[in-house]
Amino acid sequence: MGSAATVHIERYSPEHKAAWDAFVSSSKNGTFLLQRNYMEYHADRFEDHSLLFFHKGKLVALLPANVAGDTIYSHGGLTYGSIISGSSMKVPLMLEVFEALLSYFREKGSRRLIYKAIPHIYHQLPAEEDLYALFRHQAALYRRDVSSVIELQEQPGYSRTRRWQITKAEKTGVLVAPSADLETFMQMEQELLESKYQTTPVHSAAELQKLVSLFPDNIKLFVAMHQGAMVAGVVVYETAQVAHCQYIATTAAGRAAYALDALIHELLTQVYPHKKYFSFGISTEQQGQYLNEGLIANKESYGARAVVQDFYELTL
């Protein structure tokens, strides 16, 4: 599989921050979620063990990672977080990077690696060298989540019911606009998640506000107003190619006015038509084994179709 001797590893420490962030910004598969300011908003919950990989003295790859017991996660606090690489990354070098990575963690006493692949829609250049390296090391695919994604260069193919609901929303006077009122939105999101799924949002309103202040060009709230009240909203995570719905919420009044239909329609046709993809996020639960068919039907009625995110387990 090639020698890892030419690859040198350094564990991430704060003095690497500028180099890390600059590499993510110029990489072929990195996004703002992999910048240190995003990774560290919940640093108290994870023991960071991120790595930088050097080849002939040049930084060629990063691994966002945390350790828990004898397991390495890439990264437990992120939606995705596999090896970040630049345009010079080729398959033989990735094999060397993996050899070095596995040797490094074996020496630390780790027993397994849980690896969250970055879905291809976030790649600005082809970047699946890591998937081949995982295969070469007999990594097992143990989880696969299904996201619903619209390719925006194609005209979104709404269902007949969806088209009717958008027309109805326009007639009821729903107004769509950007908003800074994260407090009201997150209260709406929390009530929805608790009543429907018995869960709570990943972020508190304060955490999300902090992230917005750090990444104002990437994290945006859009809301639908009806009769002076916020009745629906979407928090969008915007990356180079993807507008991703991180949170979607509506109230009973919003459902009656078809406010979310109007809001999504506005995002697809007026706010983000220049993006390559619009992602509604996943509809799977229980490590991908359960598909919420009602949820995915709702997303697919806008014309969205499946993109998977894969999770691998590798015994060290």
Side-chain angles (χ1 to χ4, degrees):
M1 291 192 186
S3 167
T6 60
V7 174
H8 167 67
I9 291 177
E10 290 184 20
R11 182 175 178 177
Y12 177 82
S13 60
E15 60 262 28
H16 292 117
K17 184 177 189 294
W20 179 287
D21 288 345
F23 189 87
V24 170
S25 295
S26 65
S27 70
K28 58 182 182 175
N29 60 342
T31 69
F32 76 93
L33 280 79
L34 303 163
Q35 299 276 359
R36 295 308 305 193
N37 280 346
Y38 191 94
M39 290 178 63
E40 289 166 8
Y41 83 88
H42 51 20
D44 56 314
R45 298 180 215 166
F46 300 95
E47 183 184 340
D48 189 272
H49 204 123
S50 299
L51 303 180
L52 298 88
F53 300 85
F54 296 85
H55 180 250
K56 298 179 180 175
K58 180 186 174 188
L59 182 60
V60 294
L62 307 170
L63 179 71
N66 71 285
V67 61
D70 63 1
T71 302
I72 304 300
Y73 297 88
S74 74
H75 174 296
L78 300 172
T79 309
Y80 47 77
S82 53
I83 287 181
I84 308 160
S85 57
S87 59
S88 63
M89 178 59 71
K90 297 175 183 175
V91 173
L93 179 56
M94 181 62 81
L95 291 176
E96 289 189 44
V97 165
F98 255 80
E99 286 280 350
L101 161 68
L102 299 180
S103 295
Y104 173 91
F105 280 127
R106 284 186 191 115
E107 287 172 13
K108 299 288 182 190
S110 299
R111 303 296 296 275
R112 65 177 187 149
L113 169 67
I114 299 296
Y115 191 93
K116 299 181 177 183
I118 300 175
H120 73 86
I121 58 173
Y122 293 99
H123 298 182
Q124 295 181 67
L125 290 171
E128 295 185 351
E129 296 87 359
D130 59 337
L131 300 186
Y132 179 66
L134 286 164
F135 163 75
R136 286 283 293 266
H137 287 278
Q138 289 85 49
L141 174 68
Y142 77 93
R143 171 178 170 183
R144 172 169 273 171
D145 286 338
V146 178
S147 283
S148 299
V149 176
I150 293 174
E151 188 155 1
L152 288 166
Q153 308 319 310
E154 304 295 318
Q155 199 65 27
Y158 297 158
S159 68
R160 183 180 300 175
T161 301
R162 187 65 66 198
R163 288 197 300 271
W164 179 86
Q165 289 170 333
I166 290 165
T167 302
K168 193 81 171 171
E170 290 166 354
K171 291 177 179 174
T172 60
V174 172
L175 299 174
V176 173
S179 174
D181 190 359
L182 284 163
E183 193 74 42
T184 299
F185 171 77
M186 290 305 286
Q187 184 64 36
M188 178 168 58
E189 177 73 26
Q190 187 165 339
E191 289 169 6
L192 178 74
L193 290 177
E194 284 177 353
S195 64
K196 209 167 183 182
Y197 303 108
Q198 294 77 54
T199 61
T200 56
V202 173
H203 303 97
S204 67
E207 284 176 335
L208 199 55
Q209 189 65 65
K210 180 183 178 184
L211 290 171
V212 169
S213 70
L214 291 168
F215 299 98
D217 295 332
N218 301 103
I219 306 176
K220 298 171 184 175
L221 171 63
F222 297 89
V223 302
M225 306 293 291
H226 188 244
Q227 298 177 347
M230 185 191 299
V231 293
V234 177
V235 171
V236 176
Y237 274 23
E238 185 180 330
T239 55
Q241 301 200 123
V242 184
H244 167 73
C245 299
Q246 182 72 11
Y247 290 111
I248 303 175
T250 186
T251 64
R255 284 189 285 277
Y258 304 111
L260 193 56
D261 304 75
L263 176 50
I264 297 292
H265 177 65
E266 180 83 4
L267 293 176
L268 291 172
T269 61
Q270 303 302 316
V271 183
Y272 291 115
H274 61 288
K275 290 290 180 187
K276 191 167 184 181
Y277 301 107
F278 187 91
S279 165
F280 287 99
I282 68 169
S283 301
T284 38
E285 302 166 28
Q286 298 169 19
Q287 305 274 36
Q289 293 295 334
Y290 174 76
L291 177 67
N292 185 326
E293 294 195 16
L295 184 59
I296 202 166
N298 186 45
K299 297 168 182 177
E300 290 177 342
S301 71
Y302 287 100
R305 295 297 181 262
V307 169
V308 299
Q309 180 182 3
D310 288 344
F311 298 72
Y312 295 87
E313 180 174 352
L314 201 163
T315 301
L316 302 182

